[in-house]
């Protein structure tokens, strides 16, 4: 594909970039502020890959839409913005270097409770999901060749992502860690007492969390065959349902992250599920 235009950056993306910047230039070892004490914006948003064919670090495989995505942008002070885009210095600032700077810089600020993000009413609206198209990576990790390019699996995961993106961040972490405990114990359900004690939360806190999971179609509670109340996570079949833990989507995230060394927050916070298309050898 060839980029032929520079698309305006979405306001939501700008807010996210500033939240993750910590008001500091992302250039390595630079600590200049991006907004001065008077509230004037003195930083600049830079493209890692230029959307223009003659621009710095242009990549024809990245569309104009890809180029304005948050993953291709970082905020720098004015001087360093101009430096990395200087055509005579392009070799000094290759794509891989800028991506590494961005990841390292933003990792320090990517916590939902940080003050800059807390200004926004809906934290879940900060992340725009990327969806898988082939599941080549996940199918390889799980040793399920039939999953690759399977429309039902792709649709099931897509529907799960659409539910997950509206789930509050603390509930995402709760569901992930409950699923992790389920996997460690080789079960698809946990007694409510087990969860309350394992995670050191009160019955009221647990009830509220399960109500949130149920409202978003992610999980909840039910009675088992012994009439005990147990915590369950919805399988990611199209439509979502409790089917005995056969396709717990958090187990798939766990397996992929363990096989590739990926940070689970890439899925839970950034909603970057396009990673499921990437083979472990390509990481």
């Amino acid at each position: 594909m060839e980029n032929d235009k520079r698309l305006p950056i979405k306001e939501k993306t700008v807010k996210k970039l500033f939240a993750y910047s910590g008001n500091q230039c992302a250039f390595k070892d630079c600590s200049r502020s991006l907004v001065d004490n008077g509230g004037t914006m003195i930083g600049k948003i830079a493209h890692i890959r230029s959307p223009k064919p003659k621009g710095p670090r242009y990549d024809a495989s990245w569309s104009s839409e890809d180029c304005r995505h948050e993953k291709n942008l970082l905020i720098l002070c004015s001087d360093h913005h101009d430096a990395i885009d200087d055509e005579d210095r392009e070799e000094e600032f290759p794509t891989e270097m800028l991506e590494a700077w961005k990841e390292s810089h933003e990792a320090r600020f990517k916590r939902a409770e940080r003050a800059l993000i807390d200004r926004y009413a809906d934290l879940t609206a900060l992340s725009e999901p990327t969806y898988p198209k082939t599941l080549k990576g996940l199918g390889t990790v799980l040793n399920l060749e039939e999953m690759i390019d399977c429309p039902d699996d792709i649709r099931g995961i897509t529907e799960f992502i659409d539910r997950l993106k509206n789930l509050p961040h603390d509930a995402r972490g709760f569901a992930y860690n409950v699923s992790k405990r389920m996997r460690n114990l080789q079960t698809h359900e946990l007694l409510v007492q087990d969860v309350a004690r394992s995670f050191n939360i009160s019955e009221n806190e647990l009830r509220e969390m399960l109500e949130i999971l149920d409202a978003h179609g992610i999980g909840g509670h039910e009675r088992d065959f012994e009439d005990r109340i147990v915590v369950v996570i919805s399988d990611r079949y199209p439509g979502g349902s409790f089917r005995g833990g056969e396709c717990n989507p958090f187990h798939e995230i766990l397996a992929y992250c363990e096989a590739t060394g990926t940070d689970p927050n890439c899925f839970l916070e950034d909603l970057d599920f396009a990673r499921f298309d990437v083979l472990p050898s390509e990481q």
Side-chain angles (χ1 to χ4, degrees):
M1 66 187 72
E2 182 173 311
N3 310 328
D4 58 1
K5 60 182 177 179
R6 174 173 175 159
L7 297 176
I9 300 170
K10 297 178 181 179
E11 181 180 357
K12 183 187 296 186
T13 300
V14 174
K15 289 181 178 180
K16 185 175 179 181
L17 287 169
F18 269 96
Y20 289 167
S21 74
N23 196 32
Q24 290 183 8
C25 173
F27 195 94
K28 188 175 182 180
D29 298 327
C30 180
S31 59
R32 292 181 186 174
S33 298
L34 304 173
V35 179
D36 67 15
N37 292 334
T40 300
M41 167 63 176
I42 55 178
K44 293 182 179 180
I45 298 177
H47 288 77
I48 295 176
R49 299 167 185 81
S50 174
K52 292 291 187 178
K54 294 184 179 180
R57 296 168 298 278
Y58 172 74
D59 186 336
S61 67
W62 281 59
S63 68
S64 296
E65 186 63 42
D66 292 334
C67 286
R68 72 166 172 175
H69 192 278
E70 179 270 335
K71 63 187 177 184
N72 190 53
L73 304 170
L74 71 165
I75 307 183
L76 304 169
C77 66
S78 180
D79 289 347
H80 285 135
H81 173 279
D82 294 347
I84 71 165
D85 280 356
D86 187 333
E87 61 180 12
D88 294 328
R89 302 182 64 187
E90 184 173 345
E91 291 186 359
E92 293 183 42
F93 306 109
T95 299
E96 295 75 14
M97 176 187 290
L98 297 185
E99 286 182 324
W101 286 357
K102 174 182 172 70
E103 182 175 359
S104 175
H105 180 75
E106 293 182 351
R108 295 182 293 162
F109 305 101
K110 281 188 173 181
R111 293 182 180 176
E113 67 269 22
R114 59 192 176 277
L116 286 171
I117 287 187
D118 281 343
R119 294 180 185 178
Y120 306 109
D122 187 357
L123 299 182
T124 66
L126 285 171
S127 296
E128 295 182 8
T130 58
Y131 297 89
K133 297 179 180 178
T134 66
L135 297 179
K136 181 171 63 174
L138 181 61
T140 300
V141 165
L142 298 179
N143 197 26
L144 294 173
E145 185 176 348
E146 62 271 21
M147 174 181 283
I148 300 173
D149 293 320
C150 174
D152 286 341
D153 282 316
I154 293 171
R155 183 159 63 94
I157 291 177
T158 296
E159 290 185 2
F160 164 70
I161 296 168
D162 285 338
R163 295 194 297 273
L164 182 69
K165 70 181 182 182
N166 294 314
L167 187 69
H169 288 264
D170 58 344
R172 296 179 194 178
F174 175 78
Y176 174 82
N177 284 300
V178 164
S179 297
K180 187 174 184 179
R181 181 167 177 80
M182 287 177 177
R183 194 177 71 155
N184 290 341
L185 296 176
Q186 299 183 344
T187 182
H188 63 273
E189 60 187 28
L190 295 171
L191 291 171
V192 292
Q193 300 94 322
D194 179 279
V195 175
R197 293 186 179 183
S198 299
F199 296 98
N200 192 30
I201 57 177
S202 69
E203 290 185 9
N204 285 338
E205 289 175 310
L206 177 56
R207 181 173 61 254
E208 291 175 359
M209 191 65 74
L210 293 177
E211 288 175 353
I212 292 173
L213 294 184
D214 180 62
H216 290 276
I218 297 295
H221 70 277
E222 59 181 22
R223 291 188 179 275
D224 68 4
F225 67 95
E226 294 182 0
D227 204 33
R228 301 174 301 180
I229 301 177
V230 293
V231 176
V232 291
I233 297 296
S234 298
D235 286 342
R236 55 101 181 125
Y237 290 95
S241 62
F242 304 128
R243 299 196 183 185
E246 296 174 9
C247 289
N248 181 325
F250 296 101
H251 287 174
E252 294 173 333
I253 293 172
L254 274 161
Y256 186 86
C257 289
E258 289 176 357
T260 63
T262 302
D263 183 344
N265 282 315
C266 291
F267 296 100
L268 300 178
E269 185 172 327
D270 297 337
L271 303 175
D272 185 10
F273 282 82
R275 289 174 179 262
F276 276 168
D277 294 341
V278 183
L279 292 170
S281 60
E282 297 173 347
Q283 289 285 337

Short mmCIF file of all heavy atoms in Angstrom, two decimals, residues 41 58 75 115 157 240 252 258 276:
data_model
loop_
_atom_site.label_atom_id
_atom_site.label_comp_id
_atom_site.label_asym_id
_atom_site.label_seq_id
_atom_site.Cartn_x
_atom_site.Cartn_y
_atom_site.Cartn_z
N MET A 41 1.52 25.15 24.83
CA MET A 41 2.01 23.90 24.24
C MET A 41 3.31 24.18 23.49
O MET A 41 3.34 24.91 22.49
CB MET A 41 0.96 23.34 23.28
CG MET A 41 1.47 22.23 22.39
SD MET A 41 1.98 20.77 23.29
CE MET A 41 2.40 19.67 21.94
N TYR A 58 9.81 6.65 6.01
CA TYR A 58 8.60 6.24 5.28
C TYR A 58 8.59 4.72 5.08
O TYR A 58 9.62 4.12 4.78
CB TYR A 58 8.55 6.94 3.92
CG TYR A 58 7.45 6.44 3.01
CD1 TYR A 58 6.13 6.77 3.25
CD2 TYR A 58 7.75 5.61 1.92
CE1 TYR A 58 5.11 6.31 2.42
CE2 TYR A 58 6.75 5.15 1.08
CZ TYR A 58 5.43 5.50 1.34
OH TYR A 58 4.43 5.05 0.52
N ILE A 75 5.54 12.37 21.36
CA ILE A 75 5.63 13.83 21.54
C ILE A 75 7.04 14.19 21.99
O ILE A 75 7.59 13.60 22.93
CB ILE A 75 4.61 14.33 22.57
CG1 ILE A 75 3.20 13.86 22.21
CG2 ILE A 75 4.63 15.85 22.63
CD1 ILE A 75 2.12 14.37 23.13
N ALA A 115 -2.27 10.85 37.45
CA ALA A 115 -3.06 12.08 37.52
C ALA A 115 -3.49 12.59 36.15
O ALA A 115 -4.61 13.07 35.99
CB ALA A 115 -2.25 13.16 38.24
N ILE A 157 -13.30 -13.69 19.10
CA ILE A 157 -12.33 -12.81 19.75
C ILE A 157 -12.69 -11.35 19.51
O ILE A 157 -12.55 -10.51 20.40
CB ILE A 157 -10.91 -13.13 19.25
CG1 ILE A 157 -10.49 -14.51 19.77
CG2 ILE A 157 -9.91 -12.06 19.69
CD1 ILE A 157 -9.14 -14.98 19.29
N GLY A 240 -20.84 -14.92 23.46
CA GLY A 240 -20.39 -15.04 24.84
C GLY A 240 -21.29 -15.97 25.64
O GLY A 240 -22.51 -15.91 25.58
N GLU A 252 -6.09 -17.39 26.69
CA GLU A 252 -5.41 -17.22 25.41
C GLU A 252 -4.41 -16.08 25.49
O GLU A 252 -3.29 -16.17 24.95
CB GLU A 252 -6.44 -16.98 24.31
CG GLU A 252 -7.31 -18.21 24.07
CD GLU A 252 -8.45 -17.97 23.10
OE1 GLU A 252 -8.90 -16.81 22.97
OE2 GLU A 252 -8.90 -18.94 22.47
N GLU A 258 3.09 -15.54 27.51
CA GLU A 258 4.16 -16.40 28.01
C GLU A 258 5.05 -16.90 26.87
O GLU A 258 6.28 -16.99 27.03
CB GLU A 258 3.55 -17.59 28.76
CG GLU A 258 2.93 -17.19 30.10
CD GLU A 258 2.24 -18.36 30.78
OE1 GLU A 258 2.19 -19.46 30.17
OE2 GLU A 258 1.74 -18.18 31.90
N PHE A 276 -2.12 -10.93 17.97
CA PHE A 276 -2.46 -12.35 17.80
C PHE A 276 -2.16 -12.84 16.38
O PHE A 276 -2.14 -14.05 16.13
CB PHE A 276 -3.94 -12.58 18.11
CG PHE A 276 -4.26 -12.77 19.56
CD1 PHE A 276 -5.58 -12.73 20.01
CD2 PHE A 276 -3.27 -13.00 20.49
CE1 PHE A 276 -5.89 -12.93 21.35
CE2 PHE A 276 -3.55 -13.18 21.84
CZ PHE A 276 -4.88 -13.15 22.27
#
